[in-house]
């Protein structure tokens, strides 16, 4: 299961880098090329959504199936520590899932807004030329 989290972490990192490059001021002409690259990458990155839902279901299943220590001395200290580590990992992974989904949504929104801005700039140029 660790490979899945590594893939999700790299995907979230790639989304963050693309979002950072798109929102950096002063890129001018380079932004058009970046916008084209990001638009072409958005469709394959959409696979993050069902992947995150699958991993979220996995976290939920692990939470529901974890052993409980109902009595005071039912669990050994090592079992108790292992369960605590598992809970911490699940919380970390839930944050990773939320950040990957949020970054995808932000990347999609910024890309569509920059596309609209480029279209409006082209319309303004056409209107200036016609006057």
């Amino acid at each position: 299961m660790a490979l899945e989290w590594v893939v999700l972490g790299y995907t979230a990192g790639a989304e963050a880098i693309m979002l950072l490059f798109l929102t950096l001021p002063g890129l001018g002409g380079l932004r058009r090329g970046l916008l084209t690259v990001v638009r072409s990458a958005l469709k394959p990155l959409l696979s993050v959504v069902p992947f995150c839902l699958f991993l979220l279901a996995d976290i939920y299943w692990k939470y529901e199936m974890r052993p409980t220590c109902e009595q005071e001395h039912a669990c050994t200290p090592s079992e108790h520590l292992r369960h605590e580590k598992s809970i911490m990992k699940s919380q970390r992974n839930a944050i990773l899932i939320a950040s990957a989904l949020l970054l995808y949504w932000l990347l999609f929104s910024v890309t569509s807004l920059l596309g609209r801005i480029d279209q409006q700039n082209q319309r303004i140029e056409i209107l200036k030329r016609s006057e």
Side-chain angles (χ1 to χ4, degrees):
M1 291 298 284
L3 182 62
E4 295 166 350
W5 298 109
V6 169
V7 169
L8 187 62
Y10 282 142
T11 304
E15 289 172 347
I17 289 171
M18 286 188 279
L19 189 62
L20 179 68
F21 282 144
L22 281 178
T23 56
L24 278 177
L27 292 180
L30 185 60
R31 189 179 315 266
R32 259 193 202 130
L34 284 171
L35 190 60
T36 305
V37 168
V38 171
R39 276 186 182 166
S40 64
L42 277 176
K43 284 187 181 180
L45 283 176
L46 185 62
S47 64
V48 165
V49 176
F51 190 62
C52 285
L53 292 176
F54 166 73
L55 292 175
L56 200 61
D58 182 55
I59 289 174
Y60 177 74
W61 182 80
K62 285 181 182 176
Y63 177 76
E64 285 296 319
M65 297 299 161
R66 75 179 191 280
T68 58
C69 300
E70 296 173 359
Q71 297 174 356
E72 186 176 326
H73 299 289
C75 292
T76 63
S78 63
E79 288 176 341
H80 185 67
L81 184 62
R82 186 173 41 133
H83 297 313
E84 290 296 321
K85 284 183 181 180
S86 175
I87 289 172
M88 293 292 285
K89 285 181 183 179
S90 295
Q91 291 171 348
R92 178 198 63 200
N93 293 340
I95 291 171
L96 182 61
I97 288 170
S99 66
L101 291 174
L102 179 69
L103 284 170
Y104 180 80
W105 177 75
L106 284 173
L107 189 64
F108 179 78
S109 298
V110 166
T111 304
S112 65
L113 285 175
L114 287 175
R116 288 182 196 166
I117 289 171
D118 283 347
Q119 287 177 354
Q120 293 298 326
N121 287 338
Q122 289 173 358
R123 288 180 186 169
I124 290 171
E125 290 296 322
I126 291 172
L127 287 175
K128 284 182 181 178
R129 289 181 194 156
S130 66
E131 291 178 356

